[in-house]
Amino acid sequence: TDEGRGEEAFAVVFSDEYEILVAEIQELESVIIEDVHASSNRNVIIWNVVMWLVFVLFMVCFVVLILYIFTVIGFARNDLLEPITIISEDMDLFASGNISTILPLEPDESEVGKMVYSIKHMKNSLRAIIQEISATLEQMGEGNYNIDPKEDYVGEYGEIKESFLAICEKMKETI
């Protein structure tokens, strides 16, 4: 009986039906392998796209960073260094006795702008005090000791005003 089954098995293995099943299995195997390859290729394509997007994003961020750095450098040079250099040159002239120079900067709310305001105010006040002292000395030279200083002699300049008034009083007493 085992021999009968062997013949039956032999007939099944070498039959056309068996060859058709093997062919179908091989065809399904090929389809599955192609699907796996296609899926793998899609994943590779997706990863390539993601990689390029990350690269482009990195490059855009890099360019933005470079532009920001140049903006900061431009700000430091144009809004800080150049005005401070101009102020320094003007203060050198001021220290040498030239208070008539015109500072070519305008005051604003920045720290440099506030410094410009203070320098212009100081130069204008000092110029007015010097003009008034000159005019007062001229009057005193002509014998007029009735002086009335109008300028605001702030801080230590107040001592000059007090000295003028004291000199005028002593000269009036002497005359």
Side-chain angles (χ1 to χ4, degrees), residues 16-174:
D16 287 338
E17 186 179 321
Y18 178 77
E19 286 184 26
I20 291 172
L21 284 174
V22 168
E24 286 177 5
I25 290 172
Q26 287 175 342
E27 187 178 322
L28 284 174
E29 178 187 26
S30 294
V31 169
I32 290 172
I33 289 173
E34 285 178 19
D35 285 348
V36 167
H37 283 294
S39 175
S40 177
N41 287 342
R42 275 193 305 270
N43 287 341
V44 167
I45 290 171
I46 289 171
W47 280 109
N48 282 339
V49 168
V50 168
M51 183 179 70
W52 276 104
L53 287 175
V54 168
F55 177 75
V56 167
L57 182 63
F58 173 77
M59 292 307 291
V60 167
C61 289
F62 182 73
V63 167
V64 167
L65 179 64
I66 296 298
L67 290 174
Y68 179 74
I69 288 171
F70 280 119
T71 301
V72 168
I73 290 170
F75 168 77
R77 186 182 69 240
N78 296 334
D79 293 350
L80 295 177
L81 185 60
E82 286 181 17
I84 289 173
T85 302
I86 292 169
I87 290 170
S88 175
E89 291 168 357
D90 189 68
M91 288 291 91
D92 285 342
L93 293 171
F94 183 76
S96 68
N98 186 353
I99 63 170
S100 297
T101 59
I102 296 173
L103 187 59
L105 301 172
E106 292 301 319
D108 57 34
E109 293 301 314
S110 70
E111 294 302 318
V112 172
K114 290 175 184 177
M115 188 169 31
V116 167
Y117 171 79
S118 295
I119 291 168
K120 285 185 174 193
H121 180 72
M122 176 181 62
K123 288 171 79 173
N124 289 336
S125 295
L126 188 56
R127 193 176 305 116
I129 289 172
I130 290 171
Q131 287 172 351
E132 186 172 74
I133 290 171
S134 179
T136 301
L137 289 173
E138 202 173 295
Q139 286 178 8
M140 290 171 71
E142 293 173 359
N144 180 7
Y145 296 104
N146 293 323
I147 63 165
D148 184 24
K150 304 274 189 245
E151 291 301 323
D152 188 16
Y153 289 76
V154 295
E156 294 179 23
Y157 292 118
E159 293 177 26
I160 296 172
K161 181 179 180 179
E162 296 302 319
S163 294
F164 266 136
L165 294 174
I167 290 170
C168 284
E169 286 303 314
K170 288 196 189 246
M171 291 301 288
K172 285 180 192 177
E173 291 173 10
T174 305

